[in-house]
Amino acid sequence: QYSSMYCQPMRGIDPAAMAALMEYSWPGNVRELENVIQRAIILSEGDSVRLEDLPETMSQVDLLCLDEPAPAGSFEEQLREYRVKLAINAVQDANGNKTVAARSLNISRAYLHRLIRESGEDVAVI
């Protein structure tokens, strides 16, 4: 939308910028995200949104993960591990309430339970 509006053709978002966007807590919700994307497209000097196009507070969000070695395993294995991690974090954030955690992830409670079982952890105790 903003790419067309400002006649700034974009092919996408660089991985480091996407990591920062996903890691940010978004206290302003969707409006804040829209403003950040609009600003990044306006400031971008290339055909993709880069980390340096994002606000400074966002580009400093826990980028230590970029220094970690790449995870092992196939794409599908990494994706499954990430889904399990999201499920566990959602349950922890919901103080153990799995119904609230499932809603926050926009998934069914049954799928949340399946993800937790895959982890082999007792999330209720965590």
Side-chain angles (χ1 to χ4, degrees):
Q1 173 186 356
Y2 294 114
S3 177
S4 297
M5 183 185 297
Y6 296 108
C7 299
Q8 185 86 339
M10 290 293 189
R11 83 181 151 77
I13 300 175
D14 287 346
M18 183 62 81
L21 288 168
M22 291 178 68
E23 191 69 28
Y24 188 67
S25 65
W26 297 106
N29 223 337
V30 176
R31 288 188 194 120
E32 183 179 9
L33 173 61
E34 284 183 331
N35 289 336
V36 166
I37 296 297
Q38 181 180 18
R39 177 185 181 274
I41 288 173
I42 291 169
L43 295 177
S44 179
E45 295 177 3
D47 63 351
S48 64
V49 174
R50 299 162 301 153
L51 187 59
E52 51 269 15
D53 298 326
L54 300 177
E56 190 174 320
T57 55
M58 226 168 268
S59 61
Q60 294 175 351
V61 173
D62 194 15
L63 294 180
L64 296 175
C65 63
L66 297 177
D67 295 334
E68 295 175 5
S74 72
F75 175 77
E76 291 300 322
E77 289 169 341
Q78 292 177 43
L79 188 57
R80 183 179 41 78
E81 287 177 21
Y82 183 70
R83 286 179 178 159
V84 168
K85 187 189 306 185
L86 281 175
I88 291 169
N89 288 341
V91 172
Q92 290 172 339
D93 290 346
N95 297 318
N97 188 325
K98 293 175 184 159
T99 301
V100 170
R103 278 191 203 133
S104 74
L105 294 172
N106 200 24
I107 61 174
S108 71
R109 194 167 187 270
Y111 183 56
L112 178 76
H113 278 278
R114 195 166 42 247
L115 289 171
I116 292 169
R117 267 195 312 273
E118 285 181 25
S119 75
E121 297 184 37
D122 183 8
V123 180
V125 177
I126 297 175

